[in-house]
Amino acid sequence: MEASSTAQVAEDPARLAEFEARLSRGETIEPKDWMPDRYRKQLVRMMSQHAHSEVVGMLPEGNWITRAPNLRRKLALLAKVQDEAGHGLYIYCGTETLGVDRAELIDQLLSGKAKYSSIFNYPTLTWADMGAIGWLVDGAAIVNQTMLAHASYGPYARAMVRICKEENFHKRQGYEILATLSRGTPAQKAMAQDAVNRWWWPSLMMFGPSDKDSPNSADLLRWRVKQKSNDDLRQRFVNLTVPQAQAIDLTLPDPDLKYNAETGDWEFGAIDWAEFYQVIGGNGPCNRERLGARRKAHEEGQWVRDAAAAYAEKQARRKKSAA
């Protein structure tokens, strides 16, 4: 436990006991409620990483909007990318209820100090990737975020309710793209299968390593920020996804995948965690490209921030003069 957290526990043992009791009763913690410093810091870390992932997650799909095969696909993909921007803003607002300004969090992202989901550091090579991302990546996100909708911190949980509704649209959109390609020409089906082959394993990595290897999971589970372990969520995702793949005649790229009749689970092969750590360490296929794009957008948007600040200052002067 960090020094500041230790000090706060020593100063407020009664408050800490009541905080733990509230969580055990299933109560929701709100911004003005007392909370341990470590709880606050863990929330900021987790929520900021989530918000960054939504914002960076716009990039792999954004460059396919103009290349989508027809107007309907363009409109649907544009709506999805807009949703992702909104998701990031919801969660940045949530971190502000914890006393952290979003400008500080964005600076951490642009400097490379903050993390975001490793999945967004992979390239989108074909139109079928839009389907694989929607079906697999957003499908994995739904499994994780449905649990977060029951998180102990109120603003985060409430944001997840709306986000999950929109993510379900994203998943259906992606699945429909792959289903259409799978029923198309041999070349279209091969393109769909290739996309699934490339996105399957990174999607499983999205849940993170086993909780026994995580320094944060014990606290997050104890404090009901997380409801299930990484491994439990990953298994649920696999169980949901295998029959969906079978329904559209696509093969998940795992020769060890098999059904266990006793447990009711689909057992899957070993995940290459070395690749995962390479990507989150900054050495994925698109890490530099993604951060470069965000930095460029931030710099080019400076005039908007300046204009908004000038307008706010002007309004403040008018109110002061009227008073």
Side-chain angles (χ1 to χ4, degrees), residues 283-298:
N283 298 312
C286 297
N287 290 65
R288 293 171 182 81
E289 178 184 339
R290 299 290 183 245
L291 276 183
R294 291 311 314 158
R295 289 174 183 139
K296 182 174 183 289
H298 189 75

Side-chain angles (χ1 to χ4, degrees), residues 102-152:
R102 75 180 65 185
E104 177 184 348
L105 299 179
I106 292 172
D107 285 343
Q108 291 173 1
L109 171 65
L110 299 178
S111 69
K113 180 180 178 182
K115 300 293 185 184
Y116 56 87
S117 179
S118 61
I119 195 76
F120 300 117
N121 289 313
Y122 289 87
T124 48
L125 305 179
T126 70
W127 169 249
D129 287 28
M130 299 303 97
I133 289 175
W135 175 40
L136 298 176
V137 176
D138 293 321
I142 291 168
V143 169
N144 188 47
Q145 293 169 10
T146 300
M147 293 294 103
L148 292 175
H150 303 282
S152 59

Side-chain angles (χ1 to χ4, degrees), residues 204-215:
L204 294 189
M205 295 176 196
M206 280 181 66
F207 296 95
S210 177
D211 287 277
K212 69 180 187 305
D213 300 320
S214 169

Side-chain angles (χ1 to χ4, degrees), residues 294-308:
R294 291 311 314 158
R295 289 174 183 139
K296 182 174 183 289
H298 189 75
E299 291 167 3
E300 292 179 348
Q302 183 62 49
W303 71 272
V304 178
R305 296 190 294 278
D306 291 342

Side-chain angles (χ1 to χ4, degrees), residues 19-30:
F19 176 81
E20 299 279 3
R22 289 188 64 189
L23 293 181
S24 67
R25 293 193 296 266
E27 295 183 19
T28 299
I29 305 301
E30 297 296 343

